[in-house]
Amino acid sequence: MREKGFIVPLVIGGILIVIVIASVIALARFRSSLSQPVTSTVTASPTPNMEQSPIATTTLSTNGLSEYKNIKYRFGFQYLTNYILHDFTDLSSKPSQNYDQEKFNLNLETIIVSEAPYADGPCGHIDPKSIQEQKQLFEKTNPGENFNGFDLTGEVKNPKVIKSDRGVKIAYGISICQGNVGNDDPGTFAFMALTFTKDTRVSLDLYLTAKQSGNIKVRDLAEISDEISKGKYNGEVQETYNEFVKILKTFQIF
């Protein structure tokens, strides 16, 4: 009986010792946690619903480029601030008609493939059938290959297909169509590009003045366009062409 009476206090004492040790360890861990730097977790807010935004927005980025985003057709790109962008993606937005001859003028247009209006001119024509065929050719052409689809809507020299830094496939080339002019008249270049987003064709064209084209004659346009497309022309128009390609490299579809 004495042994049982001795065992009970011993067990109780052991339990108390365990509790004390556990308390000391817990207190030590608590104090240790107080000495650690506090780390906060920031949860990013969800992206706003872009459908609620305006059709198009243009903002000035910190690197000196203007950034264009079209919310309706879900594409965007960047362009130099000394360029004037004429946005014809939605006529109700009243695009700028101020074609400054001292600056570079970019024309941005969108055409619903199945609803393309018929338009005929000295450089080609546009209609639903030609746009649909152009889209099919575009889808079959891989980056690095030549693109013959421009011939369906207007002649373009040395057309190529590239991918932008965001993975967007783009076809581009140089138009030398002048209309009814003579070989000795001043000639102008137009750098032209297009891509497709679902059922829409997006076109971005840079039309140069005679001065911006280098004050050359119509008879020399074809030969010089070949040199420009190869990056071998010794003139300011080459730099402009290179800048145009850089603009295309910024294209994104979201």
Side-chain angles (χ1 to χ4, degrees):
M1 296 294 294
R2 289 180 179 179
E3 292 177 357
K4 292 182 179 179
F6 177 78
I7 292 174
V8 172
L10 184 62
V11 172
I12 294 174
I15 294 173
L16 292 175
I17 292 173
V18 172
I19 293 174
V20 171
I21 293 174
S23 299
V24 171
I25 293 174
L27 180 61
R29 289 179 176 176
F30 176 72
R31 288 178 175 177
S32 177
S33 66
L34 291 179
S35 64
Q36 299 294 325
V38 178
T39 303
S40 60
T41 302
V42 179
T43 303
S45 58
T47 302
N49 185 359
M50 301 187 74
E51 297 297 338
Q52 297 177 356
S53 303
I55 292 175
T57 59
T58 303
T59 57
L60 188 65
S61 59
T62 55
N63 59 0
L65 296 175
S66 294
E67 183 173 7
Y68 173 88
K69 288 186 177 181
N70 190 294
I71 307 306
K72 181 177 181 179
Y73 297 109
R74 309 187 74 84
F75 71 90
F77 59 92
Q78 294 180 331
Y79 61 98
L80 298 177
T81 54
N82 63 326
Y83 285 27
I84 297 177
L85 179 65
H86 305 274
D87 184 1
F88 295 97
T89 59
D90 187 80
L91 294 181
S92 63
S93 63
K94 296 181 180 179
S96 170
Q97 296 293 338
N98 179 26
Y99 283 86
D100 190 335
Q101 298 296 307
E102 299 301 320
K103 293 188 177 182
F104 294 100
N105 294 274
L106 284 168
N107 272 18
L108 176 65
E109 297 180 354
T110 53
I111 296 178
I112 304 299
V113 174
S114 59
E115 301 175 2
Y118 185 84
D120 197 5
C123 298
H125 69 277
I126 293 177
D127 59 53
K129 182 179 178 181
S130 65
I131 298 297
Q132 291 168 5
E133 293 178 356
Q134 191 176 64
K135 184 175 185 293
Q136 293 173 358
L137 283 172
F138 180 80
E139 292 172 346
K140 295 178 181 178
T141 307
N142 298 316
E145 298 178 348
N146 294 331
F147 178 63
N148 298 323
F150 278 112
D151 293 339
L152 296 169
T153 55
E155 183 181 4
V156 172
K157 307 289 290 184
N158 302 307
K160 305 175 183 177
V161 173
I162 59 171
K163 265 193 176 183
S164 73
D165 294 338
R166 298 295 186 91
V168 180
K169 188 167 69 172
I170 301 172
Y172 71 101
I174 305 176
S175 173
I176 60 173
C177 178
Q178 306 295 297
N180 298 320
V181 295
N183 287 333
D184 292 325
D185 290 333
T188 60
F189 292 109
F191 304 147
M192 315 191 79
L194 62 82
T195 188
F196 288 87
T197 62
K198 294 184 179 180
D199 62 343
T200 304
R201 188 185 80 165
V202 179
S203 301
L204 184 67
D205 306 323
L206 175 59
Y207 292 97
L208 305 185
T209 64
K211 179 180 178 181
Q212 293 167 347
S213 297
N215 294 314
I216 61 177
K217 296 181 179 181
V218 172
R219 68 171 71 251
D220 299 322
L221 287 173
E223 180 180 352
I224 293 178
S225 68
D226 290 338
E227 295 183 27
I228 293 173
S229 64
K230 296 175 183 177
K232 297 181 178 180
Y233 183 64
N234 185 21
E236 293 183 2
V237 67
Q238 180 71 62
E239 182 178 350
T240 304
Y241 177 80
N242 296 342
E243 289 176 349
F244 180 71
V245 176
K246 289 180 180 179
I247 291 173
L248 303 182
K249 297 287 283 186
T250 68
F251 250 83
Q252 61 175 314
I253 294 177
F254 43 81

